[in-house]
Amino acid sequence: MNKLFLCGTQYHVLEAVAACLKESCRAEIGLSDSIPGRLALADRLRASGLFERVYCPADSAWPAPANDGAVLYRLRQRLGVRRTGWKVNPAHYDEIVVYNDWTPFGRWLQDCKACYVLGEDTRNHLDHPNQYIDGQAAAPDFALRQREGKGYLYWGAYRGVQAVEMTDPARVAYYPEKARTFDLFAILGGLSSEKKAVLRRVFVRQELPKTDKPACLLLPRSFYVDHDLPSQDAQNRLVTDTVERYCKGYQLYVKTHPRDTTDYEQLLPDAVVLDRFMPSELLDYCFEVRFARAVGLCTASVRNLQCADEKISLDYDYIAPYQKG
């Protein structure tokens, strides 16, 4: 089978790589310009030999299609996409997997009237009722647009969605007739040591150093970049205070969000700073590592970790004093 994967985050790339390692299919992959560090990631993907082509389009510059489905507008939209250098033909693939079809990739596929699979993105972290899916379905012209393929619809509503991948379809109320099981963690757990080494070479620049001390993993986020904190200094104080309260006496490891630009090597000189572009899920499945404690700052990642004995999840109430500067 000839497949095309279209990814908007590092996690999506992890899923695409895991799928290729499991299926051993012919594949190509597109990386959105929303992925931090995507050019270096693209080079490592090419070196892996898993993908015949790796595309890095300027998808943030693609014009969005109108909801009325006007023919002339659609032609202008397609021309605008081609002018950015994206000349991929959906008809060349047996299956296209796109993660998050509200992205430019998803809008492009719908504008081309292409069929696709909506890749697993939420690990069933999908609320029901969901205000966005329910709001879309409540629009007065929803049934007409769905039937005639006019305009943009998302999360399984577009008639060209062949399947919606989910970790556990029984837990998701939407579009059960399109549900297809894709359990990333089960796939990762079943990979051979050789295939896990391929994953590490794609996502990690170095192996994790060992320590004789109890280890603590700190998982901060890009608070200042995302405007959740007023300054970089506020983020620095949040991190150093958290380390003092929860990580003292441990060998500290730091794995932050890809968008976070904090210089943790300078801020925490005694810490082991992991590659910020590495999906944290790799810690559970691709490394021989065990943490006595993991501390997450406003991130669901800490709750999913299996490589930590104690997990502490600090939410937005915890960072509220730092939001005041």
Side-chain angles (χ1 to χ4, degrees), residues 62-87:
W62 293 354
N67 279 338
D68 60 11
V71 174
L72 289 179
Y73 188 95
R74 192 158 61 242
L75 289 174
R76 288 198 301 270
Q77 197 271 345
R78 291 182 186 178
L79 180 61
V81 169
R82 288 179 64 85
R83 283 174 175 168
T84 68
W86 181 252
K87 299 178 182 179

Side-chain angles (χ1 to χ4, degrees), residues 261-279:
T261 57
T262 302
D263 187 348
Y264 289 102
E265 284 89 350
Q266 182 178 28
L267 184 66
L268 304 168
D270 295 328
V272 175
V273 181
L274 309 182
D275 190 334
R276 64 191 174 103
F277 299 129
M278 178 189 77

Side-chain angles (χ1 to χ4, degrees), residues 219-221 223 295-303 313-316:
L219 298 159
R221 282 189 50 239
F223 295 109
V295 181
L297 286 168
C298 306
T299 175
S301 296
V302 68
R303 294 193 293 270
S313 182
L314 305 172
D315 60 18
Y316 279 91

